[in-house]
Amino acid sequence: MIAEQLSRLIGDRIVNLEPVGGGDICEARRAKLGDGSLVFVKSRTGAPPGFFRTEATGLRRLGAARNGVPVPDVIAQDEEHLVLEWIAPGPPSVEAAERFGRALAATHAAGAPSFGSDDDGWIGTLELPGGPWSSWEDMWVEGRVLPYLRAAVDAGSVRAKDAYDVEKLMSELPSLDLPAEPPALIHGDLWAGNVVWGADGTARLVDPAVHGGNRETDLAMMELFGFPLLDRVLAAYHESWPLPDGWRTRMALHQLHPVLVHAVLFGGSYGSQAGRIARKYRRG
């Protein structure tokens, strides 16, 4: 049944479907077409309605950035399926990591018309407010940290002390002397699982939560959850487009949102981690 649906969607005959790894909210398959070529297929299971439309739009926005990190071509999309170019995986290398760092700087430099986006999006299965906002500080407080903090508190995932420290930092944010930069075109959910290292030596971005944001946010998320050859990625990025002074200290500030997203989705120790991050940044 699914092979017939996909064949109609892409206008080509599918002769084989094979499950592959691809996350916990969609079913992922590698499909072989009648001419022997391969495509990557995601089918909606736990993903909310409109998820694939937003993902396809985000991939196209990232792919349009001149000299930016490439993305898989979007072949077809409907409410239930997303069909992408198949990328043969390969191991990361120093050369690929440095190319990725330079290309990520170019993606960010492509810019965005405002902080946020025209429409609401998704981060995991959670809604990501679109805005737009007039400043990054407004977006970070009202559209990123506080909504997910409230949701985590409601879920019992954040203790009162940790919630207080996060709220206190957010109340101080507008008065802090943060570097002013125009909106960057950012991936928005840039952990290691959303970068595919190709056998051709090129890394590609997948599963984006694209919006106009602060470029340090993408870098902070890579650091938060671990990323292959991160020191080489960051060095190449900084050489291509130097980061404002103090960017390493601000990593903690930019990590609050993804930690709170994880607190909402998974509970566990993420709530206390958010409190520690807030206290660390305020002391720093």
Side-chain angles (χ1 to χ4, degrees), residues 27 47 63 65 76 94 125 135 150 176 189 208 211 220 225 254 265 268 280:
E27 291 184 357
V94 169
T125 55
S135 70
R150 297 183 189 111
L176 299 181
D189 192 11
H211 61 278
F225 295 116
H254 290 276
L265 292 173
K280 174 183 175 182

Side-chain angles (χ1 to χ4, degrees), residues 102-128:
R102 292 189 291 269
L104 184 60
T107 295
H108 290 165
S114 63
F115 291 102
S117 60
D118 293 336
D119 300 303
D120 294 344
W122 309 96
I123 185 160
T125 55
L126 301 180
E127 290 189 26
L128 187 70

Side-chain angles (χ1 to χ4, degrees), residues 21 28 40 42 47 79 81 83 86 105 108 142 146 149 169 175 188 191 208 212 227 257 261 268 281-282:
F40 179 71
K42 295 172 68 172
E79 189 63 36
H81 307 288
V83 183
W86 172 258
H108 290 165
E142 301 298 335
L146 291 187
L149 177 63
L169 175 58
S175 64
W191 68 290
F227 197 87
H257 177 234
V261 168
Y281 185 78
R282 293 186 69 205

Side-chain angles (χ1 to χ4, degrees), residues 159 162 165 269 271-281 283:
R159 297 176 303 175
D162 295 319
D165 287 326
S269 63
S272 58
Q273 185 177 2
R276 290 195 302 272
I277 287 173
R279 290 187 289 273
K280 174 183 175 182
Y281 185 78
R283 286 197 304 268

